[in-house]
Structure formats: structure tokens, C-alpha cells
Amino acid sequence: MISGRQALGSIEQAVKAEADQVEALESGLETLQAQAAELDRADLADFRELARMRLEDISRDEIVGKLDKAELAARKLIDKRDAERAGVREQIDMLGKRTKALGEERDGKIGEVEAIRKRLDEAEAATRAWLEQDAEFAAAAEAAQASDIQAANAEDKAAQSEADLDAKRSAYEDSLLFTYLWDRSFGTPEYSAMAPIRTLDGWVAGLIGYADARANYGRLTDIPKRLRNHATQVAAVAEEADAAVEALWQTARKTDGLDKIDAELEAAEAAVATLDDDLQAVQSKQWDALKTKGQFGAGEDEHSKAAVDLLDAELRKTKIDALLQEAQETLREDDDVVVSRIITRQDSRAELAETRDELRETLDRHMERLGDLRGLHTDFRKANFQKSNSSFRDGAMLALLLQNFLNGSVSRDRLMRELARQQRFHASRPKARMRPRRSPSSGFGRGFGGGGGFSTGGSFGGGGFKTGGGF
């Protein structure tokens, strides 16, 4: 068994590990982006060199000037991007420090909660010890236990009789002749009919053995009602007896000052809850900042995209293809060297793009997983599973479920359902307050009316109640 706080700690550790993975992948993307930018700058320098070698002065100066202007504009955009990215990094660092400080403060408060709860447990044990020796409490506890047993037996009998009714009623209610006479209240003072109809009804009643069937069906439907009413009354008495024991327990707790410790615990838990909320708010801001930082790393921010579009547009307008074609067709070695560098960088750029796409796909998966973990963290806290009186039966199972959630084989909804099934809130009560296990009633519910059942095509109570025949 592990505590709710330990379970929450496991989730938070998983969140941190996933956030570290995201940060590492984003750093890798930023490195690739910087390498691609360096290739672009080198290409621009070589295109200028080719222009100087191959073109006339006017055309050369025009192209070089346009490239210089485009590079300068792109550089300004990149500078803006770098400034904003630096601001986001600074924000992430600040939020990280705030998260760490809040986490440490919360851990300290959790320690206080655990210390108070331990003190409360010890105080309750002491109160329990003398209360269970108290004559008034012992009598009340004994009466409550007896009432609980009586209520359990009454509930069992009522449930058994209702089950018998469900199993046997169809044999009566499926008979049109029986239900016809039953609905007309035949055989009771409420029955009323003209003489010919009365004669025919009497003939039908004799044909199907209605007199015995009516008596047995009446018992079959009436006994469950009476037993259910009795079970309800006995349960109310048991609740009153339990309430009397609870009242003595609460009085004893107050006498020993446990209510003051309750107030301390409530205040400490409220402080932890406030810190949890603060931490959640800061982590939400961290999440937004991480997503923004990821856009910078992948070159998906507005400034990076604008710079790339600007350079691409300018290069398309110049005679770059013609420069390369002409340089490759000449016998000059100096321009061949420049062309070779450009071609080599094209290969490098393709490799960078492939690596970047793979890294981006991996980052997207980890970002999605991090989002799921943050959602799980929120769901966990909304369910109050982190409370100091919360625990989970199987810590190993919880760890396995969390691992399966991380690898995608268990959904968040299913994980929360499993957590709810494993989780328990613990309330303090004296031992004598515990309700007994319900025991099934003995020898009850073997049937009604003595000799057997009413079935189609058979007989009831030896009286020849048959569902067939004509009217």
C-alpha cells in the first residue's frame, strides 16, 4: 500500500522526466536550426562570389545588392526571434525556480500534515483504549452490533423473498385466465358481475384451480412487501444504534481534545491544497512557455518562417540556376570550387532536414505524452487522491498502470478508473464501531404455499391449476 501523496509524487516524477526529454529534444532542434542557418549563410556568400565571377558589373552589383539586402532583412528577423526566444528561456528559468520553491514549500507542509496525522492517530488510539473499557460505550456498541446483525438478516430475507417473487410470478402472470380473474378481484368481496358473467367466471375458476392459485399468488406478492418494510424498519433502528455509538465516540474525542488536532490538520491540509493550486498555475505557465520554446526550436515561430520565406523569394528572383549552370560548363577551376561547396551543402541540408523531421516527430510524441501526464496530474488532484488520508492498495500495480499509460497501452480515463478502484479514504473510528459482516439467513426462502410451484402445463398445490383449456 502507498499513500496518495506518494502516488502523486510518482506522477510528478514522470512529468519531470518527460519535461526533461522535451527540453533535450528542443535543444537538439535548435542545434539543427543553427546548422541550417549557417548553411544558408554560406550559400549566400558563395552565390555572391559566383555573381562576381560570372556576371557583368551592373547585373553583378544588382544581384549582390539584392542578396545583401535580403540577408540583412532576414538577419533582423532572426535577431527579433533570438530576443524573443531568450525572453522565453528566461521565463522558463524563472518559472522553474518558482516551481522548485513551491515544491519545497509544499513538501515541508506535507511533512507537517503527516506529523499532525501521526499525532492524531496516536491520540485516537489512546482515546479508543479507554473508551472501549467504558460501560456505556460497551453497551451501546453491543446494541449496535446486534442491530446490525438483525438488519443484515432482515435484508437477506427480504432480498430472498423478492428473488422468489421474480422467479415464480411469471407462471401466474403469463396465464390470461388467471390474470383475467385476478384483475376482476374474483373470489373477494370487491368482485361484482351480472349473474351470467358470474357463472362463467366461476366455471373458469374451477377449470384452472383459481382458489388455491389466488391464495398462493397473494402470499407470493404480499410477503416480499412485508419483509421489505420490516427490513427498512430494522435498518432504521440499526442506524440509530450506530449513531449513538458515533456520538459517544465524538464526545470522547472532544473530551480528549482531538477536535483541536482535527482543526490543525484541516488548516495544514488547506495550506497544502493552496500550494498545490499555486504549483498547478505555475506549471501551466511552464507548459505554455515550453510549447512556445518548441516552436522556436523547430523554426515554426513567425520570425523564423518570415526570414526563410524572404530569402527563398529573393533567391528565386535572381539568376541562381543560371549561375550554377554556367559555372559548371566553364573550364575555370575557381568557380568549380564554389559550385562544389554549394552542392555539398545541398546534400548536408537534405540530411539535416531528414534528421530534423525525425526529431520533430519524436518531440511531438513527447509533447503529447507530457500533455497527457499533466492532464492526469490535474485529474488526480481533482479527485482529492493526494489527501493525507488517501492510499492505494497496490503500489506495484499503480507503477505498472502508470508505465502502461506512458507507453500508450492504457488511456487516461481507464487509468483514473483503475486508480479509483485501488484508492481508499481512511476515516477514524473506534474498533467497536465497526459493523459486522452480513451473514445469509438460514432456512428462509424455500418457496410459498407448501407443495411446489405454479408452472405452465402442470398443477399447483395438488389442485389441478392448468393454464390450458377453453373458455
Side-chain angles (χ1 to χ4, degrees):
M1 185 173 71
I2 66 170
S3 70
R5 277 293 168 186
Q6 288 173 318
L8 181 64
S10 297
I11 295 174
E12 290 178 342
Q13 287 176 3
V15 170
K16 185 180 183 307
E18 203 62 39
D20 289 343
Q21 285 277 0
V22 166
E23 187 174 359
L25 290 167
E26 287 177 344
S27 296
L29 278 173
E30 288 180 9
T31 300
L32 291 177
Q33 187 184 27
Q35 292 173 357
E38 186 60 36
L39 291 176
D40 290 340
R41 284 192 291 271
D43 275 352
L44 284 172
D46 280 343
F47 286 138
R48 289 192 195 93
E49 184 66 22
L50 281 179
R52 293 188 183 97
M53 292 178 183
R54 307 305 310 166
L55 299 176
E56 296 178 358
D57 290 344
I58 296 176
S59 179
R60 176 193 66 202
D61 293 342
E62 181 182 358
I63 289 177
V64 171
K66 287 181 178 179
L67 291 176
D68 287 344
K69 186 177 179 181
E71 184 179 16
L72 181 60
R75 184 68 258 172
K76 289 180 179 179
L77 289 169
I78 294 303
D79 288 343
K80 288 183 180 179
R81 180 205 68 187
D82 290 344
E84 289 186 12
R85 180 163 62 184
V88 171
R89 284 173 174 166
E90 185 178 348
Q91 183 187 22
I92 290 174
D93 290 341
M94 180 189 68
L95 291 171
K97 292 175 182 177
R98 180 62 177 154
T99 297
K100 182 180 179 182
L102 284 172
E104 290 173 351
E105 186 178 358
R106 187 191 63 175
D107 290 344
K109 282 294 180 183
I110 290 172
E112 290 181 22
V113 168
E114 291 173 350
I116 295 171
R117 178 159 289 281
K118 181 179 179 182
R119 184 154 52 90
L120 181 61
D121 289 342
E122 292 172 350
E124 283 184 336
T127 300
R128 229 180 259 119
W130 69 258
L131 184 61
E132 289 171 357
Q133 304 303 315
D134 180 78
E136 181 184 4
F137 178 81
E142 184 177 354
Q145 188 173 33
S147 296
D148 282 347
I149 292 173
Q150 187 179 6
N153 288 334
E155 172 62 30
D156 287 342
K157 290 180 180 180
Q160 182 62 56
S161 67
E162 289 163 351
D164 282 348
L165 173 61
D166 290 340
K168 297 177 181 179
R169 70 190 310 161
S170 61
Y172 298 92
E173 296 170 358
D174 290 348
S175 169
L176 296 178
L177 298 179
F178 176 81
T179 54
Y180 163 77
L181 294 174
W182 179 268
D183 291 342
R184 293 178 59 81
S185 301
F186 185 82
T188 70
E190 289 78 18
Y191 174 75
S192 176
M194 293 186 296
I197 300 300
R198 185 182 294 271
T199 300
L200 286 174
D201 286 350
W203 177 72
V204 171
L207 181 68
I208 66 172
Y210 178 75
D212 289 339
R214 185 183 68 80
N216 283 287
Y217 182 68
R219 286 192 296 271
L220 184 64
T221 55
D222 182 60
I223 289 178
K225 295 177 184 177
R226 289 191 286 110
L227 288 177
R228 175 53 59 195
N229 288 336
H230 174 68
T232 301
Q233 293 170 0
V234 174
V237 172
E239 288 298 325
E240 289 179 2
D242 288 345
V245 173
E246 183 69 18
L248 290 171
W249 167 239
Q250 294 300 333
T251 299
R253 290 182 87 257
K254 190 171 183 179
T255 299
D256 287 353
L258 271 63
D259 56 328
K260 295 182 176 62
I261 305 179
D262 288 338
E264 287 183 50
L265 181 61
E266 184 178 354
E269 287 184 331
V272 170
T274 298
L275 288 169
D276 274 338
D277 291 339
D278 293 345
L279 192 57
Q280 186 88 354
V282 172
Q283 288 172 338
S284 180
K285 292 179 180 178
Q286 271 187 308
W287 173 246
D288 292 338
L290 280 173
K291 288 191 289 186
T292 301
K293 181 171 177 284
Q295 290 179 333
F296 284 122
E300 295 177 354
D301 61 284
E302 59 176 333
H303 299 310
S304 294
K305 289 190 289 187
V308 170
D309 291 344
L310 189 153
L311 288 175
D312 284 346
E314 190 57 44
L315 288 173
R316 280 195 298 271
K317 288 190 296 182
T318 60
K319 301 176 181 179
I320 297 302
D321 291 339
L323 283 173
L324 290 174
Q325 179 83 24
E326 186 176 346
Q328 289 174 327
E329 291 175 354
T330 65
L331 298 177
R332 295 180 57 175
E333 294 183 359
D334 51 356
D335 58 3
D336 288 341
V337 173
V338 175
V339 170
S340 176
R341 289 201 302 262
I342 293 173
I343 293 174
T344 300
R345 280 193 294 272
Q346 288 176 346
D347 294 338
S348 298
R349 186 177 285 104
E351 292 176 3
L352 274 179
E354 184 178 353
T355 304
R356 183 184 57 201
D357 290 343
E358 293 174 355
L359 204 58
R360 184 62 196 174
E361 289 179 6
T362 304
L363 176 60
D364 288 342
R365 288 197 301 271
H366 281 277
M367 286 290 286
E368 182 179 3
R369 192 177 299 170
L370 181 57
D372 287 341
L373 276 169
R374 291 187 70 254
L376 174 64
H377 185 270
T378 299
D379 292 345
F380 193 94
R381 290 188 63 248
K382 283 182 178 178
N384 287 322
F385 288 166
Q386 80 284 0
K387 292 285 189 180
S388 62
N389 63 335
S390 172
S391 67
F392 294 84
R393 292 198 304 269
D394 192 339
M397 176 61 72
L398 188 145
L400 179 61
L401 287 170
L402 185 58
Q403 183 59 44
N404 288 338
F405 171 70
L406 288 173
N407 63 32
S409 60
V410 172
S411 69
R412 195 169 100 196
D413 288 342
R414 182 184 170 190
L415 176 56
M416 282 301 297
R417 288 197 299 271
E418 289 295 324
L419 288 174
R421 190 173 64 84
Q422 290 270 339
Q423 188 271 344
R424 294 292 182 271
F425 288 110
H426 306 286
S428 61
R429 290 190 179 97
K431 292 180 182 177
R433 172 68 178 80
M434 297 300 180
R435 298 181 70 132
R437 293 169 60 89
R438 289 189 175 185
S439 57
S441 57
S442 57
F444 186 82
R446 297 182 180 176
F448 299 91
F454 174 71
S455 58
T456 56
S459 63
F460 183 82
F465 179 17
K466 299 175 285 295
T467 58
F471 183 77

